[in-house]
Amino acid sequence: MTSSSSSSQATKRLAHTYPEGLRADALMEEDVAWSHEVDTERDGDQFDRSERAALRRVAGLSTELEDVTEVEYRQLRLERVVLVGVWTSGTVQDADNSLAELAALAETAGAMVLDGVIQRRDKPDAATYIGSGKADELRDIVLETGADTVICDGELSPGQLIHLEDIVKVKVIDRTALILDIFAQHAKSREGKAQVALAQMQYMLPRLRGWGQSLSRQMGGGSGGLATRGPGETKIETDRRRIREKMAKMRREIAEMKTGRELKRQERRRNKVPSVAIAGYTNAGKSSLLNRLTGAGVLVENALFATLDPTVRRAETPSGRLYTLADTVGFVRHLPHHLVEAFRSTMEEVGDSDLILHVVDGSHPNPEEQLAAVREVIRDVGATDVPEIVVVNKADAADPLVLQRLLRVEKHSIAVSARTGRGIPELLALIDAELPRPSVEIEALVPYTHGKLVARAHTEGEVISEEHTAEGTLLKARVHAELAADLAPYVPASAL
């Protein structure tokens, strides 16, 4: 068949299918859809239209155990889930990595991943996230695998959530709800639990569902007597009002808890103790690094968001300078903004620090994405001006070529292994060099009756030399302006 005859047949087919006003648009869409330049830019390799638009299964995500007899209880305890993602930009590998991370999150939450599919679209469908036709295919996959939950790799609107559930006939949750569930499981401190509860209520408020008119006249009808006339509230309106009241109460509690942490922070500032914050992607080894540097004894586990509550420990540089080391909550791609807001008071440890140790997992398939995701959250909390050291952890398990690439791209970086101790002495020396130093160098002969000034020089400054004489302690140190003023009366005349 010639190209002209096939073109005329396509035109006749469109004439029957589309009304007059849409025919030109349909022809244009067909031309664009088969454009070599557009397809090359959008997909790279060329695929048939049906293949490009189809749900593409991602291999290797299933965590279902074949030997069911060994852990039979897992069939009762774990939810069986199917993952679905929409690939809008980037490469195929980027889309696969995103769904693999979603699978790790689902496992951390206590689910069994049965299957995972990706739909290639310019943008998520406004009604069902993946489109009604692909939603029907997803329902067949759910029936085939026996899943009871579908997890979407993105944040769904309330409408998308309802419409997709109506089609697949099982529970549907999104990435945000999954991360909130993990945080709820792992929060241990009172403040951490309050922050997670606030984030969950913020997320649930626009997604409440009800029968609409159920109990629609809780304040009485038109003939209910004094102070009861009016339209009344529906049950869902009452629930929303109560949630808003709880959220206001939770914010007040978090603000009160923030005060206590702020007082401790002010005490450290008053004593001129430098602070270092450990930030990084979840499961990059932040807690392991804290334990290696300070012996803190913080929980270490190969799981996402294993520790949420910030831990502050005192540490000492090789030259004897004291500083504090704070372990912060881990970050992840597309960290829900509800969590960023709720944990803002905790993340202020990063913004108020003198130095950030940005920990990245050197063994991860794409560590550059981890760096970008963490820096996005650091920008959100206003800590872009704080000096940063990129600590490439898990160097013992990383590809040497990946390590070389990271160390070459990140100019201020160092490779370490918190598990084996490789690179830790070099990291301590780098911290010592990067921490802000006292600005005034002074030499003073301090009487033995004023030994507190010598002690302050050791804790707040940097002692260069110390000599005990008959008149007192001859001290040469680098200190801040306030302590220099206190030591000024004891500066020998020869040093002036």
Side-chain angles (χ1 to χ4, degrees):
M1 184 181 290
T2 64
S3 59
S4 60
S5 62
S6 62
S7 175
S8 62
Q9 286 185 4
T11 305
K12 291 178 182 179
R13 186 173 66 253
L14 287 168
H16 289 294
T17 307
Y18 294 95
E20 183 67 31
L22 300 179
R23 195 174 304 158
D25 292 341
L27 284 169
M28 186 180 297
E29 287 179 5
E30 181 159 319
D31 289 341
V32 170
W34 287 97
S35 168
H36 178 77
E37 294 181 1
V38 173
D39 277 348
T40 303
E41 180 181 353
R42 185 170 58 185
D43 288 323
D45 297 332
Q46 294 300 294
F47 302 100
D48 291 338
R49 173 186 282 179
S50 58
E51 184 179 350
R52 186 172 65 242
L55 284 177
R56 188 177 61 80
R57 284 190 165 164
V58 179
L61 292 181
S62 176
T63 59
E64 186 175 18
L65 297 181
E66 295 183 4
D67 186 6
V68 180
T69 58
E70 182 182 346
V71 281
E72 192 171 350
Y73 71 92
R74 289 187 63 177
Q75 297 292 334
L76 302 175
R77 184 172 64 88
L78 300 184
E79 287 190 59
R80 302 164 64 84
V81 303
V82 170
L83 312 179
V84 57
V86 171
W87 168 30
T88 58
S89 61
T91 64
V92 179
Q93 188 61 43
D94 293 336
D96 289 352
N97 288 342
S98 182
L99 210 65
E101 182 177 270
L102 187 69
L105 288 168
E107 276 194 85
T108 303
M112 179 188 296
V113 179
L114 303 179
D115 207 344
V117 293
I118 292 176
Q119 161 71 347
R120 178 71 172 93
R121 298 179 65 93
D122 291 332
K123 61 181 180 180
D125 182 69
T128 60
Y129 185 64
I130 56 174
S132 57
K134 293 300 180 285
D136 290 335
E137 293 183 32
L138 180 61
R139 180 186 58 200
D140 295 337
I141 295 174
V142 168
L143 291 173
E144 176 189 334
T145 57
D148 50 38
T149 304
V150 169
I151 304 178
C152 296
D153 191 17
E155 184 167 340
L156 303 187
S157 68
Q160 288 173 324
L161 207 60
I162 293 172
H163 292 149
L164 194 55
E165 274 193 357
D166 287 343
I167 296 175
V168 299
K169 305 301 181 186
V170 296
K171 181 174 70 175
V172 176
I173 65 173
D174 58 14
R175 184 188 183 93
T176 300
L178 179 62
I179 294 175
L180 287 171
D181 181 79
I182 295 171
F183 271 58
Q185 291 181 48
H186 291 182
K188 296 293 185 290
S189 68
R190 179 168 168 256
E191 183 175 12
K193 290 177 180 178
Q195 289 168 328
V196 173
L198 176 60
Q200 285 181 318
M201 285 187 284
Q202 286 177 315
Y203 173 79
M204 286 302 301
L205 187 60
R207 293 171 173 80
L208 286 179
R209 301 187 218 172
W211 290 102
Q213 298 302 315
S214 176
L215 304 178
S216 62
R217 298 190 181 276
Q218 292 186 29
M219 290 297 291
S223 59
L226 294 176
T228 60
R229 295 180 178 87
E233 289 180 300
T234 61
K235 178 67 166 60
I236 199 167
E237 287 169 346
T238 306
D239 291 342
R240 283 177 179 151
R241 175 167 51 80
R242 288 175 176 168
I243 285 181
R244 290 190 187 98
E245 291 171 355
K246 285 185 177 180
M247 286 170 60
K249 179 183 177 183
M250 204 71 70
R251 287 193 180 99
R252 288 194 299 270
E253 291 181 1
I254 292 173
E256 291 171 1
M257 289 182 257
K258 177 184 175 182
T259 304
R261 190 170 53 252
E262 182 62 31
L263 288 173
K264 295 178 182 177
R265 203 178 291 146
Q266 289 176 359
E267 181 69 15
R268 293 198 294 268
R269 289 198 203 103
R270 189 177 65 81
N271 292 328
K272 308 297 181 184
V273 178
S275 62
V276 178
I278 301 178
Y281 214 76
T282 179
N283 207 32
K286 298 182 300 300
S287 298
S288 300
L289 186 64
L290 178 70
N291 290 343
R292 173 66 69 171
L293 293 176
T294 66
V298 176
L299 170 69
V300 173
E301 187 177 347
N302 185 21
L304 305 185
F305 302 113
T307 52
L308 295 181
D309 303 315
T311 304
V312 180
R313 291 290 185 270
R314 183 179 291 266
E316 189 173 324
T317 66
S319 63
R321 300 170 61 202
L322 292 176
Y323 66 97
T324 60
L325 201 60
D327 181 18
T328 61
V329 63
F331 303 145
V332 73
R333 274 183 299 188
H334 312 304
L335 190 67
H337 63 275
H338 310 293
L339 279 174
V340 175
E341 287 300 318
F343 278 79
R344 184 170 293 276
S345 58
T346 302
M347 294 177 181
E348 284 173 359
E349 293 284 354
V350 177
D352 290 339
S353 63
D354 298 299
L355 180 67
I356 296 175
L357 296 185
H358 185 165
V359 183
V360 61
D361 182 357
S363 64
H364 190 269
N366 197 340
E368 287 85 359
E369 278 191 9
Q370 291 192 352
L371 287 166
V374 173
R375 283 170 176 159
E376 182 180 346
V377 181
I378 288 176
R379 280 195 301 270
D380 289 342
V381 298
T384 53
D385 296 332
V386 182
E388 174 191 70
I389 297 175
V390 175
V391 182
V392 185
N393 193 23
K394 306 183 183 179
D396 55 319
D399 185 345
L401 294 178
V402 174
L403 284 181
Q404 290 177 14
R405 186 179 75 230
L406 284 173
L407 296 177
R408 183 176 64 253
V409 173
E410 298 295 335
K411 302 303 180 186
H412 208 49
S413 59
I414 185 172
V416 305
S417 172
R419 187 176 67 87
T420 64
R422 168 186 168 185
I424 296 298
E426 291 81 1
L427 176 60
L428 286 170
L430 190 56
I431 293 173
D432 195 359
E434 290 295 325
L435 283 177
R437 293 182 176 275
S439 56
V440 181
E441 187 171 319
I442 192 170
E443 184 176 345
L445 183 61
V446 183
Y448 290 119
T449 54
H450 292 76
K452 286 185 178 179
L453 291 175
V454 179
R456 285 180 60 190
H458 279 279
T459 57
E460 301 175 19
E462 185 177 353
V463 176
I464 300 173
S465 65
E466 184 179 12
E467 182 182 350
H468 299 288
T469 67
E471 293 80 12
T473 304
L474 183 60
L475 187 70
K476 187 175 182 181
R478 191 178 287 111
V479 297
H480 52 81
E482 183 182 338
L483 182 54
D486 294 339
L487 288 170
Y490 309 108
V491 176
S494 58
L496 294 175

